[in-house]
Amino acid sequence: MISLFSAASSPVASLLRPAIVSAMALVATCSYAAGTSIPAEHETSAPATAVAPGQPVPAANPATPAIPSSPAAEPALAVALVDHSLPVDALPDAPQPVQQSQTSPAPDAQPFHVPRNFRITPAAGRSRLPGKLSYYLHSTYSVRNLLEALAVAGVPEIPDPPLYPHPDGLSGGQYEEALQLYNDEITDWGHDTEAILRYRGRRAAVGLGTAETRDLLSNLVLPVALHQEARYLPAPINSDLSQRMWNALESIVVTRNDHGDMAPNYSKLGGTVGAAFIGKSVFADAFSAPELNSGHFVMHYVGYSLLGDLATNTAHELIRAAREPDASYFELHGRATEDSYYPLSAGGKVVYWAHSTYGLRSIVTAGLIAAIPPVYDRPKEPTGDPSTWGIYPTYQEAYDNWGEATLLWKDNLEDTLRYHGRRLIGGFSEVESQLILQNLLVPEIFGMDPRYIPLGSDHPAGQRLAHAFTSIVIGHTDAGTRTLNLPVLGGTVGAAVLAKEVYYPQLGAPALASGSMFARTLSLNFIADGIYNLASEFLRHHDY
């Protein structure tokens, strides 16, 4: 079309040129305002050449670069077309492209590096049957269901056991009567305690059955039937705290359907109320818990369950906010390794420490420190057959000595169990002190990474094996520099010193406060670090 404008010998072109150029300038300006490009037929890729009337228009030279069609270039193109003083082949230079910072994203725009599971969009509500089934199956073994079962069970009120009679001040016949009375009372106490515990166990079964029914209805049956989302959909990652807390509360009563639209959360509310009535009408009778077969139980269960939803949603938002920077790194770069390292944020270190507090290692280490208590057999009660009296001259004297031996056995057993219980408390205290020093305090103070950073599967197995054990001594700063592993060394030694000087003396376990036990504890913890590093190096991990 521009080639027609340069055909001076065409009178029609000369007459129409001003009008057509003005119209194209208007189109270009409107296109820029609307954020769209000029249509392809209005673009050019070569200067115009004169064409005689009646001759065909030559094809554009493909080697000549095209004029940019970006929005920023379109107004300049319109000015060039309108300005008749400029020669046709002397278009102005292309302007600089608009910087990204000059554009304002939409209010709910997400940064490109935010992981997929941190976004909330209408598409997030489109969960198909396999996804809902997987979500339901994962919810069946949650800690929340166990807590609900314990809450329904309640705390059993067990009476104190009867006191064992002491032979001091009693004659042989009186002591025998006291022993007989004690045997009757302890038998009745055992039966009553067993009945109380069995009843609380049946209540716990009602609570667990109701919780699992709630999961079945709220997370699978109703979401599939009503085409609703069963998952909790978090707030946008750039939301402030008040918006997050409001989203946690609002999500109890509203959710998204399978089309991504907001809808009342009939799945959550209907599943909770339906499970409460099923627990009242079915489980309470099946497990012989008549106190739970009432409307009082239904109201309490619905109220506490919805409060549990709110607590779960709130915890999800807070943990998600703390882990967002680290999850973004993980989404972009995968798991941190020696070849591709990125540090943990301050919030990520807090979450990392919190996850470590209830790990299997804590339980095993505390159990090894507590040790297995020695339990000896209870003395055998003498019978009326004189052949079993042994050196005792009378049956009464044999019975009195058996009572004293049994009382001593009972006292020793109680002392042994209490002592090993104190050792267990001391072991847990030492382990948890080590974890808070090693995974939180020392890393935050000295700017170091508490994680084990694997060498990676691209390296030989021998190097990876050596790396797992050398990493006990060599760690990372947050800048990625390899240095002395202060979190592991300082946390392990510091916790052992606290246990030796504070915990074990206060708990009445002086044997654990010795120098030999101090060395054994350090060795045990360093061996546990090595085993953990090996597992982290060679086993697959899905988290950072």
Side-chain angles (χ1 to χ4, degrees), residues 38-262:
I38 298 178
E41 62 266 25
H42 297 296
E43 295 181 1
T44 182
S45 58
T49 57
V51 183
Q55 297 296 323
V57 178
N61 184 7
T64 304
I67 296 174
S69 60
S70 63
E74 290 164 3
L77 178 60
V79 172
L81 292 173
V82 174
D83 189 357
H84 304 292
S85 64
L86 291 174
V88 178
D89 57 351
L91 295 176
D93 295 336
Q96 295 297 323
V98 179
Q99 298 296 325
Q100 187 176 1
S101 60
Q102 296 174 358
T103 61
S104 57
D108 58 348
Q110 302 285 351
F112 78 97
H113 61 276
V114 176
R116 289 185 297 274
N117 59 323
F118 280 65
R119 294 191 178 97
I120 176 170
T121 62
R126 298 168 187 169
S127 178
R128 299 184 182 276
L129 179 59
K132 292 176 181 177
L133 179 60
S134 175
Y135 179 75
Y136 158 69
L137 292 176
H138 280 85
S139 70
T140 56
Y141 54 87
S142 65
V143 176
R144 175 182 171 178
N145 289 357
L146 179 61
L147 294 178
E148 284 191 11
L150 294 177
V152 174
V155 180
E157 298 178 359
I158 300 177
D160 295 332
L163 297 177
Y164 193 87
H166 200 278
D168 293 345
L170 297 177
S171 63
Q174 292 175 336
Y175 184 60
E176 184 177 0
E177 292 178 0
L179 284 175
Q180 187 62 44
L181 179 62
Y182 169 78
N183 287 334
D184 295 340
E185 290 178 348
I186 197 66
T187 301
D188 293 339
W189 176 84
H191 292 161
D192 294 341
T193 301
E194 182 180 358
I196 292 173
L197 293 178
R198 286 181 180 274
Y199 174 68
R200 294 294 176 176
R202 293 195 299 271
R203 287 177 63 108
V206 174
L208 184 60
T210 306
E212 294 294 340
T213 303
R214 173 185 53 78
D215 279 341
L216 178 64
L217 295 177
S218 298
N219 296 339
L220 183 62
V221 175
L222 292 179
V224 171
L226 301 176
H227 303 287
Q228 289 190 332
E229 177 61 71
R231 301 169 299 171
Y232 170 69
L233 301 178
I237 198 62
N238 53 359
S239 302
D240 57 27
L241 181 62
S242 61
Q243 291 173 325
R244 292 178 183 277
M245 296 301 99
W246 174 252
N247 187 78
L249 176 63
E250 182 186 39
S251 296
I252 298 175
V253 293
V254 295
T255 187
R256 295 187 184 274
N257 58 27
D258 288 348
H259 301 291
D261 301 323
M262 300 300 294

Side-chain angles (χ1 to χ4, degrees), residues 2-21:
I2 295 179
S3 61
L4 292 177
F5 296 159
S6 61
S9 60
S10 174
V12 177
S14 300
L15 292 175
L16 296 180
R17 176 176 176 175
I20 295 177
V21 170

Side-chain angles (χ1 to χ4, degrees), residues 244-515:
R244 292 178 183 277
M245 296 301 99
W246 174 252
N247 187 78
L249 176 63
E250 182 186 39
S251 296
I252 298 175
V253 293
V254 295
T255 187
R256 295 187 184 274
N257 58 27
D258 288 348
H259 301 291
D261 301 323
M262 300 300 294
N265 199 346
Y266 296 121
S267 299
K268 174 72 68 180
L269 301 175
T272 302
V273 175
F277 276 101
I278 291 176
K280 165 186 174 294
S281 304
V282 178
F283 295 124
D285 291 338
F287 291 103
S288 301
E291 285 86 353
L292 302 181
N293 190 359
S294 64
H296 182 76
F297 166 74
V298 172
M299 290 188 296
H300 275 72
Y301 182 84
V302 171
Y304 285 122
S305 182
L306 295 180
L307 286 177
D309 289 325
L310 178 59
T312 302
N313 296 350
T314 302
H316 185 100
E317 288 289 350
L318 295 177
I319 294 175
R320 176 173 166 268
R323 300 181 66 179
E324 188 274 332
D326 309 294
S328 299
Y329 277 121
F330 181 75
E331 180 77 8
L332 283 176
H333 308 293
R335 186 186 179 202
T337 64
E338 292 290 350
D339 297 328
S340 177
Y341 175 78
Y342 56 85
L344 274 181
S345 65
K349 292 176 183 178
V350 173
V351 175
Y352 182 79
W353 161 72
H355 282 179
S356 69
T357 57
Y358 54 87
L360 181 62
R361 173 181 173 177
S362 302
I363 300 174
V364 173
T365 304
L368 291 175
I369 293 176
I372 300 176
V375 178
Y376 302 101
D377 294 336
R378 180 175 179 173
K380 294 183 179 180
E381 181 179 2
T383 65
D385 187 354
S387 61
T388 63
W389 294 354
I391 62 174
Y392 302 110
T394 62
Y395 172 76
Q396 185 63 49
E397 186 176 352
Y399 211 91
D400 291 344
N401 282 277
W402 170 79
E404 293 180 359
T406 302
L407 183 61
L408 181 63
W409 171 85
K410 175 179 175 294
D411 292 340
N412 290 336
L413 177 62
E414 182 177 349
D415 291 342
T416 300
L417 295 179
R418 288 181 181 275
Y419 172 70
H420 285 270
R422 293 194 298 269
R423 287 175 62 123
L424 181 65
I425 295 173
F428 264 117
S429 301
E430 180 177 352
V431 173
E432 294 301 327
S433 298
Q434 177 188 350
L435 293 175
I436 194 172
L437 288 172
Q438 177 175 324
N439 294 339
L440 182 61
L441 296 182
V442 176
E444 292 284 11
I445 292 173
F446 292 96
M448 298 194 66
D449 198 320
R451 301 170 297 176
Y452 168 73
I453 305 300
L455 192 59
S457 58
D458 295 336
H459 297 266
Q463 293 182 8
R464 299 175 69 186
L465 182 66
H467 179 75
F469 288 100
T470 57
S471 293
I472 298 175
V473 182
I474 305 298
H476 282 84
T477 65
D478 288 340
T481 307
R482 301 269 290 170
T483 184
L484 190 67
N485 199 342
L486 293 179
V488 171
L489 299 178
T492 303
V493 175
V497 171
L498 276 175
K500 178 178 180 295
E501 300 296 333
V502 179
Y503 300 150
Y504 296 136
Q506 292 292 328
L507 291 170
L512 298 180
S514 63

Side-chain angles (χ1 to χ4, degrees), residues 22-43 68-78 81:
S22 301
M24 289 189 63
L26 180 60
V27 171
T29 305
C30 294
S31 298
Y32 174 70
T36 60
S37 300
I38 298 178
E41 62 266 25
H42 297 296
E43 295 181 1
S69 60
S70 63
E74 290 164 3
L77 178 60
L81 292 173

